[in-house]
Amino acid sequence: MKNAFPRYPLLSGDTPLMPLANLGAELGVASLWIKRDDVTELAFGGNKLRKLEYLLGQALDEGCDLVITGGSPQSNHARLTVAAANKAGLETWLCFAGERLGDVQGNLLLDQLLGAKLFATGAYGSDGLLAVMREKAFAAERLGRKPFIIPVGGSTGRGDYGYVTAWYELERQRQQQELPPFDEIYVAVGTGGTLAGLAVGRNLTQTPTRFRGISVWQEREQTEQEVNRFMRQLCKEINQPAASELAPTDALFDQYIGRKYGTPSPAGNEAIRKLARAEGILVDPIYTGKALAGMLDQLAKTADKSKRVLFWHTGGAPALFTHASSLARM
Ligand SMILES: *Cc1c(COP(=O)(O)O)cnc(C)c1O
């Protein structure tokens, strides 16, 4: 799958594909693997860098000099946008949800260190923030700037294309290591763009892998609508209309969100400890810890221990420090 989309390179090679031998043995799962998109090269890494390669490629192609994006004050996407934009020589304005920014720690601290201009907007939700970003863009244009708006989570057809190429990367790595296809891939789902890109890739290669998307934000039905909407948007962008739906064998779960988005859950925190102690790998309390908790629960419920399973690590480490009080044992 090759397209002529301009790409601003942020990742210099494949992210590691590694076995989780200790955790697999603990769970009685014959083949358990992890794809390390937390090991990406800027500012503590994470999945947003794959989207940003194509989003910044587009911004530079259009001659923009300012990136405007937003999210919650502890957004991983915001942090990685500033880091990537700095590398590309672009300024960043961040529009945050809510009336106040909260404590300057975790991602917000990193945003400050990276030098973004920060706004507490009083707006909420993806659409509310997009409206504020448009106002800021008008204001910037009046100052003679050329702004480029990136919606919350970097999920646009162009951004999500970064996860189509990630799918092809996994297929290539798997074949190099002479591994058969994974039966199931578990991944955290926020806006849904990451899963949308992966699922479009899977549809294009017709690989018999089933996705297990663990929502950390919205209910199952809404999550499914969003993932399918992003898949259609993406397929239009790459002119591949046939690949644009989740398969009936894919599944989305919303029972691992816990109390709400952005608040750690006891099961997620337990999953963080389990992986850390078994493998020395850290997941975060807001996305990947909850996704891992979902995977552990689903695997505990199946009798079939011969499945080949992959956990797609999407990053988020700075949130460990933001939520120290929830994670620490005194
Ligand atoms: C943004 C994010 C996700 C979710 O990605 P979407 O494309 O929004 O679904 C998962 N994990 C981490 C750590 C993230 O920052």
Side-chain angles (χ1 to χ4, degrees), residues 72-74 96-109 112 118-121 322:
S72 80
Q74 286 298 335
F96 290 124
E99 306 286 347
R100 31 171 255 115
L101 297 179
D103 295 341
V104 181
Q105 52 170 307
N107 282 311
L108 188 60
L109 171 63
Q112 265 197 8
L118 313 178
F119 301 94
T121 64
T322 315

Side-chain angles (χ1 to χ4, degrees), residues 6-330:
R7 167 177 172 261
Y8 180 76
L10 297 168
L11 279 64
S12 65
D14 298 349
T15 62
L17 172 65
M18 308 160 57
L20 294 176
N22 298 337
L23 186 64
E26 216 176 291
L27 302 175
V29 175
S31 184
L32 185 60
W33 292 70
I34 189 167
K35 177 71 171 155
R36 301 290 305 275
D37 277 8
D38 58 319
V39 185
T40 37
E41 291 154 51
L42 292 180
F44 296 106
N47 64 333
K48 302 307 179 308
L49 291 172
R50 289 193 190 268
K51 301 182 184 183
L52 284 161
E53 289 198 314
Y54 290 98
L55 293 165
L56 293 187
Q58 190 180 2
L60 292 167
D61 193 51
E62 292 175 10
C64 297
D65 59 9
L66 168 66
V67 175
I68 301 178
T69 194
S72 80
Q74 286 298 335
S75 161
N76 295 308
H77 162 70
R79 178 229 331 154
L80 289 169
T81 300
V82 192
N86 284 357
K87 188 170 154 73
L90 306 172
E91 194 191 338
T92 310
W93 293 0
L94 296 178
C95 300
F96 290 124
E99 306 286 347
R100 31 171 255 115
L101 297 179
D103 295 341
V104 181
Q105 52 170 307
N107 282 311
L108 188 60
L109 171 63
L110 298 171
D111 296 338
Q112 265 197 8
L113 292 174
L114 291 161
K117 196 163 172 180
L118 313 178
F119 301 94
T121 64
Y124 288 95
S126 305
D127 294 340
L129 282 169
L130 192 60
V132 172
M133 289 183 228
R134 291 200 172 116
E135 285 168 23
K136 295 282 178 212
F138 279 128
E141 277 165 359
R142 285 196 296 274
L143 297 170
R145 307 296 302 270
K146 281 206 75 177
F148 184 83
I149 295 177
I150 299 179
V152 172
S155 292
T156 68
R158 195 65 73 88
D160 298 341
Y161 180 67
Y163 266 90
V164 179
T165 62
W167 173 263
Y168 280 85
E169 176 181 308
L170 176 72
E171 286 293 271
R172 188 164 19 83
Q173 280 179 309
R174 178 172 82 59
Q175 283 155 16
Q176 279 163 358
Q177 299 188 36
E178 297 182 353
L179 299 168
F182 292 100
D183 295 309
E184 293 180 350
I185 294 182
Y186 286 83
V187 63
V189 179
T191 62
T194 298
L195 176 56
L198 290 173
V200 166
R202 185 275 318 270
N203 291 352
L204 290 172
T205 58
Q206 300 186 333
T207 307
T209 295
R210 305 182 290 275
F211 285 105
R212 300 286 176 259
I214 311 289
S215 176
V216 301
W217 176 32
Q218 301 180 106
E219 286 176 6
R220 201 193 61 78
E221 221 156 83
Q222 202 173 351
T223 305
E224 184 173 357
Q225 278 171 19
E226 285 293 281
V227 172
N228 280 322
R229 185 171 69 83
F230 284 129
M231 287 177 76
R232 283 193 299 274
Q233 222 173 67
L234 172 54
C235 285
K236 206 166 167 186
E237 186 96 8
I238 61 175
N239 204 11
Q240 295 279 352
S244 65
E245 291 262 319
L246 286 171
T249 47
D250 294 328
L252 296 168
F253 301 92
D254 62 8
Q255 65 266 46
Y256 305 105
I257 300 171
R259 204 150 56 77
K260 60 173 193 196
Y261 170 73
T263 301
S265 71
N269 289 359
E270 210 37 58
I272 293 173
R273 280 200 185 82
K274 205 174 184 109
L275 182 67
R277 288 169 190 212
E279 303 283 351
I281 295 172
L282 294 165
V283 286
D284 84 283
I286 306 306
Y287 289 93
T288 47
K290 289 179 180 178
L292 184 64
M295 184 183 88
L296 296 177
D297 185 51
Q298 289 299 312
L299 291 180
K301 283 176 178 160
T302 57
D304 177 9
K305 301 295 181 188
S306 66
K307 272 194 293 207
R308 310 179 41 78
V309 178
L310 176 77
F311 181 76
W312 203 301
H313 193 333
T314 46
L320 284 167
F321 304 102
T322 315
H323 295 285
S325 62
S326 149
L327 288 159
R329 282 180 176 161
M330 296 305 175

